[in-house]
Amino acid sequence: MITDNTALQSAASPEQTAAQQQAKELLRRKSALIMKLTTAGADLEQVIKDNQHEIDEVLLKMLEKRAEAAYNMGEEEEGAVEGLMLLWRRLNAEMQRMQASPAARLLDDVLQAMDPASGLTLQDRQQAAQVLLRKAFNAPGSRPVDIFGVAAALAEGQAVAAEELVDAFVPREQFVQEAEELLKGAIEVQQDLEKGVQSGEVQGHQQEVDQLLKDRRMAIVQLQEILALAKSMRLT
């Protein structure tokens, strides 16, 4: 009996056809975004911000495959592979941030504000951190919701602004709890790393190992400073 493959293929259910079209559209959209990201130049951060909803595992996997293809084609000498992997790390960090809790995102913002690499004085960095913390702890979500006010805002087309105000609130107790858990884990890792260096289990270039230990100590100190600020801050 002769089988008509064409007829079998055309007999796909509407659901299968729709799924195939959706898959093709997804790949087309992600490919277009990768092209836009790789050619964004100085506008990269704005492109990432405008397309946050597209940053997911599919995009990262496609970017990873693109980097592998570039490596296999010998493009590493032109910096293509390194550029793609740097972009992958940036997008992966953005995805993790989007998936993180509001308290974790706030902590990330405050850590950036406290980064000595900013060139600001310690006092200025602490003030910037206090502004972020106070804004989050005192956001409208910390007070009873004015249902009629929110309804009026929605009626006037201010839905996005109202949603952003609610999402900005982070309970101080939740922030302190998550920061303390992170600090505890960081201290444990630091202690294990120092023991490994002393016992010889952790090996490497001495200068690189020393810098790693120094960076981790600095991160722990920053976490401790942030916790102290959060606990001592007077809220209105």
Side-chain angles (χ1 to χ4, degrees), residues 20-38:
Q20 291 172 354
Q21 291 298 327
Q22 290 176 358
K24 289 181 180 179
E25 171 59 22
L26 176 65
L27 294 177
R28 184 202 64 76
R29 198 170 65 244
K30 300 294 185 184
S31 295
L33 178 55
I34 289 176
M35 178 63 68
K36 191 172 184 179
L37 288 165
T38 54

Side-chain angles (χ1 to χ4, degrees), residues 187-198:
I187 291 175
E188 290 176 352
V189 171
Q190 178 73 1
Q191 291 174 342
D192 290 341
L193 184 59
E194 290 176 345
K195 290 179 181 177
V197 171
Q198 294 174 358

Side-chain angles (χ1 to χ4, degrees), residues 29 43-44 125 133 154 172 178 188 205:
R29 198 170 65 244
D43 297 327
L44 176 62
R125 298 200 306 273
L133 292 171
L154 292 173
R172 173 159 50 180
E178 294 194 27
E188 290 176 352
H205 194 280

Side-chain angles (χ1 to χ4, degrees), residues 28-119:
R28 184 202 64 76
R29 198 170 65 244
K30 300 294 185 184
S31 295
L33 178 55
I34 289 176
M35 178 63 68
K36 191 172 184 179
L37 288 165
T38 54
T39 58
D43 297 327
L44 176 62
E45 291 303 319
Q46 186 61 47
V47 174
I48 291 175
K49 181 178 179 180
D50 293 342
N51 295 275
Q52 283 183 332
H53 60 287
E54 292 283 6
I55 300 175
D56 54 18
E57 293 289 352
V58 175
L59 182 68
L60 291 175
K61 178 59 68 175
M62 290 179 66
L63 193 58
E64 184 179 336
K65 293 293 185 182
R66 189 71 60 90
E68 291 177 359
Y71 178 81
N72 293 332
M73 293 175 64
E75 296 181 12
E76 69 274 10
E77 295 181 359
E78 301 176 7
V81 177
E82 181 180 0
L84 288 170
M85 292 313 299
L86 285 173
L87 177 59
W88 184 94
R89 286 194 288 271
R90 175 64 185 88
L91 295 178
N92 185 54
E94 187 68 23
M95 185 178 71
Q96 291 180 351
R97 177 179 170 83
M98 290 188 297
Q99 295 174 346
S101 67
R105 291 197 295 271
L106 174 60
L107 179 57
D108 184 51
D109 289 338
V110 177
L111 281 170
Q112 291 184 41
M114 291 287 287
D115 187 357
S118 64

Side-chain angles (χ1 to χ4, degrees), residues 147-160:
I147 297 178
F148 294 103
V150 172
L154 292 173
E156 296 175 5
Q158 301 176 14
V160 175

